[in-house]
Every structure is written in structure tokens, then in C-alpha cells.
Amino acid sequence: MSRRLIKRSIGPLLGLAILTYLLSIVDFSRLETSWRSINYGLLAAGIILSQVSIYIRAIRWRYLLLACQPIPMSKLYPAVIVGMAANWIIPFRIGEMAGAFSLSRLTNIRFTTLAASVIADRLLDVLWLVGALALALHFLSIPSIQLPARLLGQEVSIDSEWLVGAARLLGMLFLAIVALMGLLYFRQGQILRLVDSTLGRVAPKLAINIVIPTLGKFADGLHVLRRGYDMLMSVLVTLVLWGMMLVGAYVLIASFPLATPPSLTQAFLVLICVAGGLTAPNAPGFVGTFHLAIVIGLLMADPTTDIDLAISFAIIYHLTQIVPTTLLGLFMAWRHGLSLMPDSRRTATFMPDLQDR
């Protein structure tokens, strides 16, 4: 019990510690001044674009489930928004399966099938994140990353050679993930037996308790994509989804009185950092890690970015994501008789480690 409690506490404590630190170094008088200068018309437009991206995410989920049965958007969107709201307000990533649990209540599709499709959905996002980060480091010509001493206690500088090396490693990781996905899709049994016969002999607990179940879950998610057309459309919708999110991030940056003019490169780096930050252990609402990711993204785009303005923008950006999504999720849950908390007994059968993440 103590080990489980420690695992559960890491994310919330880390997020709260980061948020507390950021608030301790910020000038609150400058926060108030910057908020008075916000272009609220552009801010509203950015919020709308963020919500449109959630609807596009529901469209992608529809393609992932076409092999099972066509599902109307009137059922898909409520399930997606409920799942997104659960992810924002429930810690330990228990909300990951809330969307699948909600859709199982609205349709006759089994929860295990829907849970597998959620994993396929996340795999597409992971591929985008790794590929986009590799392209950003390689093609955006970032001379170096400089984080000021005020942010981390001492100045941190990462030169271009390290960035190029990181881009190459990420490129190889991207190809490795694609190759692994292909092998799991076409040769699942052989891969799992290979892992069992190799890693299982060296570290049997690691193989049996973590590696083999994880690979099995990924394979289940991949096998949701049974038709090439559905897979192609899922990839294309993923590009549209992240394109919409990029435009939304750009509009939100343009609404805020940062010293530097907004650019798509700036929005791209912020979006990548946020996506990466959301994969870290988290507190409820992704507080702390979400804010730090935005600040780092702004500094990557322009090392001269004012720290106070960066933290101020991070707070506003966070509110534009969590407040509308949570309110819409609660409304859809009330309207359709759904719950933001998935049934722990059903999720445990598919993701037994969910509560320990």
C-alpha cells in the first residue's frame, strides 16, 4: 500500500512543486498588467479553435471504430468531451479510459474494444509528437536553447550540436516505433514469444508484468485498424487535428501582449512542449508541468522572452483549455447520464496498472 501511495503521489507533488516554484519567481504586478492588455476577441477565437480540435479528435475516433460499426457524432462527441474533462480534473490518468467507458454506455460496443481504440488513438499522437519534435529540431534552425538562471536557478544552454543529435535520435525512435507497430500488427504472437524467450529469461518479472502486457495492449489497439482506408483516414485526420491545434495556439499567442510578434514557429514549439509535458506524471489539471512546458516552448522560440510574461501567458493558456473543456464535459455527462470516473472494475481488466500510473 505504501508503494502504491508513493507512486500515486509523484505526479501531483511534482506538478504542485513546479507551479509553486513558478509562482514564487513571478512578479504578480506584471501578471495583472499583462492580463489587462489581452485581446479578448482573439482569446475567444483561440478557445473556439481549441474546442473544434476536440470535435476533430472525435472524428478520428470514428474512423478508428469504423471496422466495428459506424457511430454517429451525436454519441462520439459527448464521450470524447467527457473523457477530455475527466483527464483534466482526475489525477493518475484515470480519465484516460473515461471516454471509452462513456461510449460503451451510449453504444453496444464492448468496453475492451473501445479501450483498444483509445490506445490506437494515443499511438497516433505519440507518432506525431516524436516526428514533429524531430522535424522541429532539424529544420527550424534553432541555434541553441537557452534557459535563463531566473527560471532554473542557473543558466542552462543546449547548443546546436546537441539539438541535431537529438533530432537524429528522435528520427530513429520514430522509425523504430513504426517498425514495432508493423511487427505487432502482423506478427504479434511471434514478437510476444520472442520477448518471453529473451527478456523473460533475464528479467522475468519485468517481462511478465510490464513489457509483454504493454506490447499486448498496443497490439490490441493496432488491430482496431483492420482496413487500410480507415488507417489512412485516421492519419490524415491526425494531421488536420494538430494543424487546427497549431492555429489555435498561434491565435492564443497573438492575443497576449508578449514582447515578440507571434509566429507559427513559436506556436509549433509551444504545442510540442505542451504535448510532451502532458506525458509526464501529473497533478489534477496538469498544473505545473503544463505551465513549465509553455514557458520552455516560448524560450525555445525566443531566448529573450520575458519570464513574467511567459508565466502569465502559461496561466491564461491553461485556463483556456481546462475551463471550457471541463464545463462542456460536465454538461455532456449530465445530459447523457454519464460519469467522468470510469468503472474501476472494468478498466482494471484492460489496464490493471491504471491506478498506479
Side-chain angles (χ1 to χ4, degrees):
M1 178 63 70
S2 59
R3 181 180 296 179
R4 176 176 294 182
L5 181 62
I6 292 173
K7 286 183 179 180
R8 291 185 175 188
S9 302
I10 291 174
L13 290 177
L14 175 63
L16 292 174
I18 292 174
L19 181 62
T20 301
Y21 175 73
L22 290 177
L23 293 178
S24 70
I25 65 174
V26 74
D27 184 345
F28 283 92
S29 64
R30 299 199 65 195
L31 292 184
E32 182 181 358
T33 302
S34 64
W35 292 343
R36 289 177 179 175
S37 303
I38 292 175
N39 184 324
Y40 287 96
L42 288 177
L43 186 72
I47 293 173
I48 292 172
L49 290 170
S50 298
Q51 294 306 307
V52 170
S53 69
I54 295 177
Y55 190 84
I56 296 174
R57 188 175 290 276
I59 294 174
R60 182 175 67 178
W61 200 13
R62 185 175 188 274
Y63 280 108
L64 293 174
L65 292 170
L66 273 181
C68 302
Q69 70 179 61
I71 303 175
M73 294 299 293
S74 59
K75 294 182 178 180
L76 269 170
Y77 175 72
V80 168
I81 197 69
V82 167
M84 296 287 287
N87 235 9
W88 276 114
I89 62 178
I90 300 176
F92 319 126
R93 294 194 178 278
I94 295 176
E96 290 280 356
M97 289 293 118
F101 181 67
S102 297
L103 193 57
S104 71
R105 296 279 302 273
L106 297 173
T107 65
N108 58 359
I109 302 178
R110 292 182 304 172
F111 170 76
T112 52
T113 300
L114 295 171
S117 70
V118 170
I119 290 182
D121 186 85
R122 297 296 178 267
L123 280 172
L124 289 172
D125 285 337
V126 168
L127 279 176
W128 180 92
L129 176 60
V130 174
L133 186 54
L135 291 174
L137 293 177
H138 191 75
F139 290 109
L140 289 184
S141 300
I142 303 173
S144 64
I145 297 176
Q146 296 178 356
L147 303 180
R150 186 180 169 197
L151 180 62
L152 299 178
Q154 63 179 11
E155 184 173 340
V156 175
S157 180
I158 304 175
D159 61 30
S160 58
E161 291 184 3
W162 283 93
L163 296 179
V164 172
R168 292 172 179 170
L169 287 176
L170 287 168
M172 290 188 288
L173 177 61
F174 178 85
L175 295 176
I177 294 174
V178 172
L180 179 61
M181 290 172 63
L183 290 172
L184 286 174
Y185 188 83
F186 294 106
R187 295 288 187 269
Q188 176 185 353
Q190 290 91 325
I191 294 299
L192 295 182
R193 284 194 293 270
L194 178 63
V195 172
D196 185 43
S197 62
T198 54
L199 183 62
R201 294 181 179 179
V202 179
K205 290 185 178 180
L206 176 65
I208 295 173
N209 297 330
I210 298 178
V211 177
I212 293 177
T214 301
L215 291 176
K217 293 168 191 174
F218 285 160
D220 291 337
L222 292 171
H223 282 92
V224 174
L225 294 166
R226 299 172 188 170
R227 299 184 300 185
Y229 173 79
D230 299 338
M231 184 179 298
L232 175 62
M233 291 304 299
S234 299
V235 172
L236 292 177
V237 174
T238 298
L239 296 177
V240 174
L241 167 64
W242 286 95
M244 180 63 67
M245 293 174 66
L246 175 63
V247 175
Y250 174 84
V251 172
L252 287 173
I253 292 173
S255 73
F256 202 82
L258 293 171
T260 56
S263 67
L264 285 177
T265 297
Q266 187 182 42
F268 188 61
L269 291 171
V270 167
L271 190 60
I272 289 176
C273 289
V274 168
L278 294 185
T279 63
N282 61 89
F286 298 98
V287 297
T289 51
F290 190 98
H291 301 85
L292 180 61
I294 293 175
V295 173
I296 291 176
L298 291 173
L299 289 171
M300 285 178 65
D302 181 5
T304 65
T305 300
D306 186 280
I307 293 294
D308 290 316
L309 293 179
I311 295 174
S312 180
F313 173 71
I315 294 172
I316 294 298
Y317 193 117
H318 181 256
L319 291 175
T320 65
Q321 305 303 300
I322 187 173
V323 174
T325 302
T326 300
L327 292 178
L328 281 170
L330 291 172
F331 172 75
M332 287 295 179
W334 167 78
R335 182 178 179 183
H336 295 275
L338 303 173
S339 172
L340 268 65
M341 176 67 75
D343 188 333
S344 59
R345 293 171 299 178
R346 296 178 68 183
T347 55
T349 62
F350 190 81
M351 300 183 72
D353 61 334
L354 185 63
Q355 295 181 357
D356 292 335
R357 290 177 62 185

